[in-house]
Amino acid sequence: MRLKPPDSSAKPLIPKHSSELSVNREKRNNLTNGEVEGVINDHSLVPSSEEEYALQPQLYLETGVGDVQPERLRGLSKWVTESEHSQSEPYQLPHSRRRRSWLWNQFFVIEEYRGPEPVLIGRLHTDMDKGDGSTKYMLEGEGVGSVFVIDSKTGNIHVTKSLDREEKDEYRLVATATDRETGRALEPSSEFIIRVQDINDNPPVFPNEPYVAMVPEMANIGTSIIQVTARDADDPTYGNSARLVYAITHGQDFFSVDPQTGILRTAVPDMDRETQDEYLVVLQAKDMGGHLGGLSGTTTVTVRLSDVNDNPPHFRRSAWSFSVSELAAPGVEVGRLTATDPDLGENAQLEFTILDTEEAEIFNVTGRNKEAVIVLNKILDYETRNSYTFSVEVTNPIVDPRYIRKGPFKDQATVRVMVLNADEPPRFSQALYHLDVSENCPPVCSVGRVYAVDPDTGQSTNIRYSIDPQSDPEALFRIASDTGFINTVMELDREQEQWHNITVIATQRADCSASHSNFRNSKSNN
């Protein structure tokens, strides 16, 4: 069979003299299973070899471009016009009778071609066709009747609709020439392939979008973050329709992308998470190698900065003042110092220490949510010491040596604790008094004296004394309220009662308190 040139009135499928198809002519000529293959280039048929040509059956396909005819001389092929051919010697094929074209079993149709009429893509012809309409041409195979139709009289093959290579990239057809009356085959059936040739009709897409990636803050320039990969449904083996190039359309001040691999990297040093912790990068993939006219697709990459320990801790103030009552019990909270560390997690852990040894025994410090909590460790006495001044240090227990230059990773603050004077009750010179008195001593016999002072002032002039009636129900004793001297009211008999325990109360004019004194009656010698 041969594929004859389309009529001048038919719509050509491939533009005349297509340089792109001509350049790829040699690449597309393949020999498969001993069959001769060719390619339509500018509607022209490219021969495979002389010997193979001579061995083909007489049913063949014929094609050409206008008045251009192929010629083969001395093992070399060239293209000549009919005018040039007419001036040369008659064209003879070696080892075969003269024919006007070469045999082949494969040609191409450009996808997505749309025209007002079916497109003529070739013509079946056999030398057995006498031109009287008795020869019937038939097609069988994929898409026959729906995609490809043939004129049974002329053998013209048309494609009836637009083809999409991404849906189906080739069709296998079988051509047959029969006698129209008898149905007898005039030639053996011949199989050929129609390949759908790719055009750039699919933009790149990112199947795994959106992307989220992490990179440590302060990372060096060129640190790899993530690799994004786009897909293009066009034919990667033909032209540049699926050759992708990556670029950044937003975020190029901070990041770069490898145009071939799609690997996103940092473009600047010292990106500080504490200043900005998240960046939105827009990446573009463009086909046609990035050249003008290529299709493109975009995706977003959210880049988040992970934390490193690049910030030392600091107290919010360098000096802190607190006060506590002298009556406060151990364990009472005195005050809190607030520290800051903008890092996160273990990089923001803080430890607090009281640097002064003496004060560290009186006060304790514990860390709680970035605060140093000062706690009383011992009882305080305003009259002994009314203020304490000491230093508290905050440190990061975990330090990254890469950022030690940003240190030191510690800070100090001065703490002053004022002891508040409380209105304390009178304080006896002794907690327990042991006094002796002779038995049978006449009334108003002196027993002894108790003494108390006001601890706030150290004076005793405002102290008043009294005996708790419950401790002396018989009223055997009397005390001078202003001096604390104790006397007996009646004679005491040792044999009746050897001990008398009484309670003496010392009272301030605005307050009161109590102390106990025990008295022992001693027997007289007479």
Side-chain angles (χ1 to χ4, degrees):
M1 274 190 193
R2 57 186 171 184
L3 182 62
K4 286 190 173 182
D7 296 336
S8 60
S9 61
K11 302 296 182 180
L13 182 62
I14 304 176
K16 193 171 183 180
H17 305 298
S18 170
S19 59
E20 179 180 357
L21 296 179
S22 298
V23 170
N24 293 312
R25 182 180 64 227
E26 293 182 3
K27 181 174 72 173
R28 295 176 185 160
N29 291 343
N30 299 309
L31 185 62
T32 305
N33 297 327
E35 296 179 330
V36 181
E37 296 188 355
V39 176
I40 292 180
N41 289 307
D42 298 339
H43 298 296
S44 300
L45 192 62
V46 181
S48 294
S49 69
E50 294 176 358
E51 291 184 6
E52 292 159 351
Y53 176 85
L55 296 176
Q56 296 301 312
Q58 294 181 0
L59 182 64
Y60 56 94
L61 301 166
E62 181 177 322
T63 187
V65 178
D67 58 354
V68 179
Q69 297 285 343
E71 184 178 36
R72 194 176 187 91
L73 298 173
R74 293 182 300 277
L76 301 175
S77 63
K78 67 177 181 177
W79 300 99
V80 297
T81 63
E82 288 185 355
S83 59
E84 293 173 335
H85 186 70
S86 63
Q87 297 174 2
S88 61
E89 297 180 359
Y91 173 67
Q92 299 291 333
L93 288 175
H95 312 299
S96 177
R97 63 185 176 83
R98 178 181 178 186
R99 292 186 180 180
R100 290 181 295 167
S101 63
W102 279 260
L103 298 181
W104 59 287
N105 74 341
Q106 173 176 280
F107 62 90
F108 294 80
V109 176
I110 295 180
E111 68 168 332
E112 304 292 352
Y113 178 82
R114 293 176 175 86
E117 301 175 4
V119 179
L120 177 64
I121 60 174
R123 179 184 177 190
L124 293 178
H125 185 73
T126 176
D127 287 344
M128 302 293 291
D129 189 347
K130 299 177 182 179
D132 57 0
S134 63
T135 301
K136 181 180 181 180
Y137 295 98
M138 295 183 296
L139 280 181
E140 295 179 346
E142 302 169 290
V144 173
S146 60
V147 178
F148 306 102
V149 295
I150 185 170
D151 188 320
S152 64
K153 292 183 178 180
T154 64
N156 288 343
I157 302 173
H158 291 79
V159 60
T160 63
K161 66 179 184 179
S162 173
L163 302 180
D164 187 353
R165 187 199 67 84
E166 286 71 41
E167 293 182 2
K168 188 172 180 61
D169 61 354
E170 69 175 29
Y171 296 82
R172 293 182 177 272
L173 305 180
V174 176
T176 305
T178 63
D179 185 283
R180 187 177 295 275
E181 294 183 359
T182 65
R184 181 179 58 86
L186 302 179
E187 301 275 3
S189 298
S190 177
E191 182 182 89
F192 61 98
I193 299 173
I194 298 177
R195 296 191 185 278
V196 182
Q197 182 172 295
D198 184 52
I199 64 171
N200 189 20
D201 61 338
N202 290 279
V205 296
F206 293 87
N208 298 321
E209 66 174 355
Y211 299 89
V212 178
M214 299 283 290
V215 66
E217 63 172 330
M218 315 302 290
N220 295 328
I221 294 178
T223 299
S224 176
I225 302 172
I226 191 175
Q227 183 176 20
V228 298
T229 303
R231 297 285 183 265
D232 194 312
D234 291 322
D235 188 355
T237 65
Y238 176 73
N240 293 323
S241 296
R243 182 186 167 205
L244 304 183
V245 173
Y246 298 93
I248 296 179
T249 61
H250 178 76
Q252 57 267 44
D253 293 341
F254 301 96
F255 304 94
S256 65
V257 66
D258 188 302
Q260 306 302 323
T261 65
I263 296 177
L264 186 67
R265 303 180 185 274
T266 57
V268 296
D270 301 335
M271 283 194 295
D272 190 4
R273 185 198 64 81
E274 289 74 31
T275 302
Q276 183 175 346
D277 63 352
E278 186 174 291
Y279 296 82
L280 185 65
V281 183
V282 179
L283 288 176
Q284 178 192 73
K286 189 173 185 179
D287 60 20
M288 299 298 291
H291 295 301
L292 185 66
L295 303 178
S296 64
T298 60
T299 188
T300 59
V301 181
T302 301
V303 180
R304 294 171 180 163
L305 301 185
S306 59
D307 186 64
V308 300
N309 191 7
D310 60 334
N311 292 280
H314 292 286
F315 284 110
R316 290 191 180 274
R317 299 202 304 266
S318 59
W320 302 75
S321 296
F322 306 104
S323 60
V324 61
S325 171
E326 62 176 332
L327 300 180
V332 170
E333 181 179 316
V334 176
R336 298 189 179 197
L337 289 70
T338 303
T340 62
D341 190 325
D343 293 322
L344 299 176
E346 65 178 14
N347 297 323
Q349 289 182 2
L350 303 179
E351 288 185 354
F352 300 94
T353 307
I354 295 177
L355 300 181
D356 301 87
T357 305
E358 181 180 354
E359 282 74 9
E361 294 181 357
I362 300 173
F363 301 96
N364 189 24
V365 60
T366 57
R368 189 181 306 164
N369 297 328
K370 294 187 178 181
E371 289 184 323
V373 181
I374 307 297
V375 177
L376 187 63
N377 211 30
K378 291 183 178 182
I379 295 177
L380 301 177
D381 184 11
Y382 172 84
E383 287 71 30
T384 304
R385 185 173 178 179
N386 60 15
S387 69
Y388 297 85
T389 302
F390 52 91
S391 296
V392 176
E393 182 179 75
V394 58
T395 60
N396 279 144
I398 301 175
V399 178
D400 192 330
R402 293 176 298 174
Y403 308 106
I404 198 69
R405 69 182 187 282
K406 294 180 174 289
F409 283 79
K410 60 183 178 180
D411 193 21
Q412 291 185 10
T414 301
V415 177
R416 185 179 185 188
V417 178
M418 305 296 296
V419 180
L420 300 179
N421 185 25
D423 190 10
E424 299 178 79
R427 187 178 301 167
F428 284 97
S429 60
Q430 298 177 221
L432 181 65
Y433 290 87
H434 188 185
L435 303 176
D436 292 327
V437 62
S438 298
E439 69 174 337
N440 299 325
C441 181
V444 194
C445 180
S446 177
V447 177
R449 184 186 183 188
V450 295
Y451 180 76
V453 297
D454 183 351
D456 296 324
T457 63
Q459 303 296 319
S460 62
T461 55
N462 62 339
I463 305 298
R464 293 295 178 264
Y465 303 96
S466 62
I467 295 176
D468 185 355
Q470 294 182 356
S471 66
D472 185 20
E474 298 178 354
L476 299 177
F477 302 93
R478 181 180 298 166
I479 189 171
S481 62
D482 56 345
T483 62
F485 282 101
I486 300 174
N487 299 309
T488 61
V489 175
M490 61 183 64
E491 292 183 4
L492 302 177
D493 187 356
R494 180 180 177 276
E495 285 71 29
Q496 291 182 357
E497 190 170 358
Q498 185 177 3
W499 292 94
H500 295 270
N501 293 318
I502 63 174
T503 299
V504 176
I505 300 174
T507 306
Q508 291 182 1
R509 293 182 179 178
D511 220 31
C512 64
S513 183
S515 180
H516 294 81
S517 296
N518 292 329
F519 301 95
R520 177 183 181 185
N521 296 333
S522 59
K523 188 177 181 179
S524 63
N525 294 324
N526 54 9

